[in-house]
């Protein structure tokens, strides 16, 4: 017999449940401008949900957001899910052209934007014919004036809740579609069973809410146990994060290697993180010197882990008190991992590298309107990560890099072909290939290898600026190498691995 689906709404689980349990007076979220208790958050979410309904948003319909980490974004995500609609928080680092492609792809009719990004949002919606309504934060009362939605929409556990755009080796970013139940799964398995998050915790994340890593850290984990989320709207410089951690008594600090590196070199008081009971790192493999530096300089143990947008959050992690250098740790409860060869056969010997596959119930149901790519990544219960990993003899796993040509710079995916296409638009460029080159901490940075047009030379600064004009800044090449020709196979395919070695040496 077919089981009757169970109703479950992630916003009810994250917010209303605490009010119903008598914990409405606890602090739920502290932003740069306001603090909301769980009761106040519940009311605000229900206001936004009613406002979205008034704008015509129906269940399962997308609501796309390009917003800073503030109460408005927090309540918009929760309000959309409350209504049974799908929250689509998007990167605030994109240009208008880049954002416009996501809006058009998602077929969103209602777009929400922070007033800081008014120009980007305006430029973006010009490219997206389905958009009917744009609400910016300076007209937020429009959303708040429709009363209060009465109860969370009776979504199923499997109903769509959240789409997160992620980049691929080629072409456009694609939306990984997550269900309401995925949110509970990551909160209970990683947040609670690995981090031991509890109601007294105060979570501060360097990654913003539009990242899978950020939304788990700053929303799903704290709200799942009645703890407090600390939101920071500005760019997370070491000084800013240290000051925020001190004034707000952060107990859990979530960062990335591209934050820990500058933090260790910055002039920050040694007691800045005195209240932090645990640091967490993801995005890129944590260099051993940063693990040690954080312990020695600030007395903070940083747990490295690996997650993905497709799995919603971290699925291999070190454990508190047992952080091991140069290792992502062991699988998080609820997940299994395998290392497989190019043909998909399981490699069961320690020390032999292969591609990491993961199985766990937070896997996205697929990519929106990308059936072919979805079939290559979501293989039944298993999901391909695209990362090369090795199992160590003590059962821990170590990241060795990518299985394909993708580049992760500062913890964010960069699609080489997107940067190459832009470089090829430059009149001096005949051929262009972008590869990952590690810096002194072994953290990858995009480097452009360029063959100039006959009789021409390329200027590094000019080409980097050329990329910045049309692409988000994090995608820009950090260096340009001029070459007379590109190494190719007999069939004319570019030998990226040869190029990588050439540029590294
Ligand atoms: O990059 C990661 O390791 C990660 C961690 C948590 C959630 C999402 C991602 C991509």
């Amino acid at each position: 017999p077919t089981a009757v689906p169970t109703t479950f709404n992630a916003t009810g689980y994250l917010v209303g449940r605490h009010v119903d349990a008598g914990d409405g007076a606890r602090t739920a979220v502290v932003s740069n401008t306001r603090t909301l208790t769980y009761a106040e958050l519940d009311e605000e979410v229900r206001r936004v949900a009613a406002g979205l309904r008034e704008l015509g948003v129906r269940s399962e319909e997308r609501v796309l957001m390009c917003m800073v980490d503030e109460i408005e974004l927090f309540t918009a995500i929760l309000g959309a899910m409350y209504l049974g609609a799908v929250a689509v928080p998007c990167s605030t680092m994109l240009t208008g052209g880049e954002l416009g492609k996501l809006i058009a792809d998602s077929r969103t009719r209602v777009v929400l934007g922070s007033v800081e990004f008014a120009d980007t949002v305006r430029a973006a919606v010009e490219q997206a014919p389905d958009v009917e309504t744009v609400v910016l934060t300076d007209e937020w009362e429009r959303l708040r004036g429709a009363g209060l939605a009465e109860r969370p929409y009776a979504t199923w556990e499997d109903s769509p809740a959240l789409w997160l755009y992620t980049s691929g080796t080629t072409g456009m970013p694609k939306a990984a579609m997550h269900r309401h139940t995925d949110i509970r799964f990551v909160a209970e398995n990683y947040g609670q069973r690995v981090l031991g998050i509890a109601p007294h915790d105060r979570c501060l994340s360097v990654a913003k809410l539009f990242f899978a890593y950020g939304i788990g850290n700053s929303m799903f984990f704290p709200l799942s146990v009645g703890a407090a989320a600390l939101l920071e709207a500005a760019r997370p410089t070491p000084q800013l994060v240290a000051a925020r951690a001190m004034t707000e008594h952060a107990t859990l600090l979530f960062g990335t290697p591209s934050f820990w590196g500058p933090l260790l070199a910055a002039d920050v008081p040694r007691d800045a993180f005195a209240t932090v009971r645990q640091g967490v790192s993801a995005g890129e493999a944590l260099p051993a010197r940063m693990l040690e530096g954080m312990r020695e300089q600030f007395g903070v143990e940083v747990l490295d882990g690996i997650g993905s947008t497709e799995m919603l959050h971290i699925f291999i992690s070190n454990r508190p008190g047992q952080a091991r250098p140069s290792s992502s740790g062991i699988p998080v409860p609820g997940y299994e991992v395998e290392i497989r060869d190019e043909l998909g056969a399981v490699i069961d010997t320690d020390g032999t590298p292969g591609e990491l596959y993961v199985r766990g119930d937070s896997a996205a149901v697929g990519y929106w309107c990308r059936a072919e790519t979805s079939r290559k990544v979501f293989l039944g219960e298993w999901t391909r990560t695209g990362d090369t990993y090795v199992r160590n003899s003590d059962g821990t796993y170590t990241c060795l890099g990518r299985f394909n040509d993708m580049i992760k710079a500062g913890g964010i995916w960069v699609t080489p072909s997107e940067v190459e296409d832009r470089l090829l638009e430059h009149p001096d460029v005949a051929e262009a290939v972008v590869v990952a080159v590690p810096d002194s901490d072994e953290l990858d940075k995009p480097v452009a290898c360029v063959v100039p047009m006959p009789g021409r030379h390329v200027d590094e600064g000019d080409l980097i600026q050329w990329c910045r004009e049309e692409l988000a800044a994090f995608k820009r090449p950090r260096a340009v190498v001029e070459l007379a020709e590109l190494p190719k196979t007999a069939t004319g395919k570019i030998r990226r691995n040869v190029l990588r070695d050439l540029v590294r040496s």
Side-chain angles (χ1 to χ4, degrees):
T2 313
V4 176
T6 310
T7 57
F8 172 73
N9 185 295
T11 301
Y13 167 77
L14 295 173
V15 186
R17 187 167 56 96
H18 302 298
V19 180
D20 296 344
D23 286 330
R26 292 189 64 82
T27 299
V29 53
V30 183
S31 80
N32 295 117
T33 60
R34 273 180 298 160
T35 295
L36 297 186
T37 63
Y38 274 89
E40 289 165 338
L41 176 62
D42 184 57
E43 180 177 329
E44 203 56 36
V45 164
R46 290 164 59 203
R47 268 191 201 292
V48 174
L52 290 173
R53 190 172 54 199
E54 184 94 341
L55 292 178
V57 175
R58 308 278 309 269
S59 62
E60 280 100 45
E61 193 181 329
R62 279 75 59 199
V63 179
L64 187 140
M65 300 130 197
C66 177
M67 301 174 76
V68 294
D69 277 25
E70 250 300 346
I71 299 290
E72 287 83 358
L73 174 59
F74 207 73
T75 53
I77 295 170
L78 290 163
M81 297 194 307
Y82 189 96
L83 198 63
V86 182
V88 191
C90 287
S91 171
T92 54
M93 298 188 284
L94 302 178
T95 62
E98 291 168 326
L99 181 67
K101 289 185 189 146
L102 306 194
I103 301 178
D105 177 74
S106 63
R107 304 243 184 252
T108 301
R109 288 190 306 126
V110 174
V111 173
L112 308 178
S114 295
V115 70
E116 293 88 329
F117 303 116
D119 291 343
T120 308
V121 171
R122 269 188 216 111
V125 298
E126 271 172 32
Q127 283 177 236
D130 290 310
V131 174
E132 289 170 8
T133 312
V134 176
V135 183
L136 297 180
T137 45
D138 61 354
E139 42 190 10
W140 208 244
E141 287 309 308
R142 260 178 85 187
L143 265 188
R144 298 184 69 251
L148 294 177
E150 311 72 44
R151 66 187 68 81
Y153 186 81
T155 38
W156 311 121
E157 287 181 327
D158 284 351
S159 293
L162 174 75
W163 288 7
L164 293 167
Y165 273 91
T166 176
S167 299
T169 25
T170 52
M172 268 269 301
K174 48 210 187 296
M177 302 184 289
H178 283 286
R179 307 164 300 162
H180 281 256
T181 189
D182 299 351
I183 292 170
R184 179 176 51 188
F185 192 88
V186 297
E188 293 183 353
N189 286 297
Y190 178 70
Q192 295 172 30
R193 295 171 75 185
V194 174
L195 297 182
I197 190 165
H200 59 262
D201 274 313
R202 297 172 68 81
C203 301
L204 183 58
S205 171
V206 161
K208 302 292 182 199
L209 284 165
F210 61 77
F211 287 112
Y213 182 44
I215 198 168
N217 307 339
S218 294
M219 182 184 282
F220 305 154
F221 303 161
L223 299 191
S224 75
V225 292
L230 308 173
L231 300 183
E232 175 53 61
R235 201 170 70 81
T237 61
Q239 278 78 11
L240 188 79
V241 174
R244 203 78 208 290
M246 283 199 279
T247 47
E248 298 297 348
H249 309 290
T251 62
L252 287 169
L253 178 65
F254 299 86
T256 59
S258 52
F259 170 72
W260 308 120
L263 172 65
L264 288 168
D267 185 17
V268 160
R270 292 182 84 91
D271 62 353
F273 303 107
T275 57
V276 172
R277 68 170 178 83
Q278 190 72 67
V280 174
S281 188
E284 294 169 281
L286 179 69
R289 79 155 185 101
M290 295 186 192
L291 174 71
E292 273 132 39
M294 284 301 296
R295 206 183 335 240
E296 275 165 24
Q297 219 164 303
F298 297 108
V300 172
E301 181 196 46
V302 178
L303 292 186
D304 192 17
I306 177 198
S308 69
T309 305
E310 287 77 0
M311 298 306 291
L312 191 53
H313 217 274
I314 291 175
F315 51 84
I316 296 182
S317 174
N318 280 278
R319 297 297 191 271
Q322 299 167 29
R324 181 186 180 291
S326 307
S327 157
S328 303
I330 56 173
V332 166
Y335 296 91
E336 278 172 73
V337 299
E338 283 180 353
I339 294 181
R340 302 195 193 175
D341 66 17
E342 284 92 345
L343 300 174
V346 176
I347 300 172
D348 211 13
T349 34
D350 295 340
T352 308
E355 185 179 354
L356 184 72
Y357 283 59
V358 56
R359 171 155 79 175
D361 212 21
S362 62
V365 290
Y367 301 119
W368 166 250
C369 286
R370 299 289 197 288
E372 203 184 321
T373 315
S374 297
R375 285 191 194 110
K376 290 184 184 145
V377 173
F378 302 101
L379 308 175
E381 292 184 340
W382 289 93
T383 301
R384 291 181 71 161
T385 65
D387 289 306
T388 302
Y389 258 78
V390 69
R391 190 177 64 210
N392 306 308
S393 54
D394 62 0
T396 62
Y397 289 80
T398 294
C399 178
L400 301 179
R402 288 296 296 167
F403 212 67
N404 56 27
D405 300 327
M406 287 292 288
I407 302 170
K408 211 171 202 188
I412 313 174
W413 290 120
V414 176
T415 304
S417 64
E418 203 185 346
V419 189
E420 291 159 6
D421 289 349
R422 175 64 186 156
L423 288 164
L424 289 168
E425 283 167 14
H426 193 284
D428 292 340
V429 174
E431 290 182 275
V433 174
V434 176
V435 292
V437 178
D439 67 9
S440 56
D441 279 318
E442 292 295 309
L443 301 174
D444 284 342
K445 301 283 174 274
V447 170
C449 306
V450 171
V451 178
M453 287 291 188
R456 307 282 265 276
H457 284 288
V458 290
D459 179 83
E460 182 173 61
D462 172 43
L463 275 189
I464 294 175
Q465 181 53 29
W466 176 258
C467 291
R468 291 191 77 138
E469 279 162 20
E470 287 295 322
L471 302 174
F474 70 86
K475 300 177 187 172
R476 75 190 186 284
R478 306 306 194 268
V480 175
V481 178
E482 184 176 318
L483 297 170
E485 59 182 346
L486 295 174
K488 294 190 183 146
T489 63
T491 54
K493 249 181 138 259
I494 291 160
R495 300 174 70 199
R496 284 177 188 264
N497 48 347
V498 173
L499 256 187
R500 269 189 286 266
D501 293 344
L502 194 85
V503 180
R504 274 171 212 204
S505 56

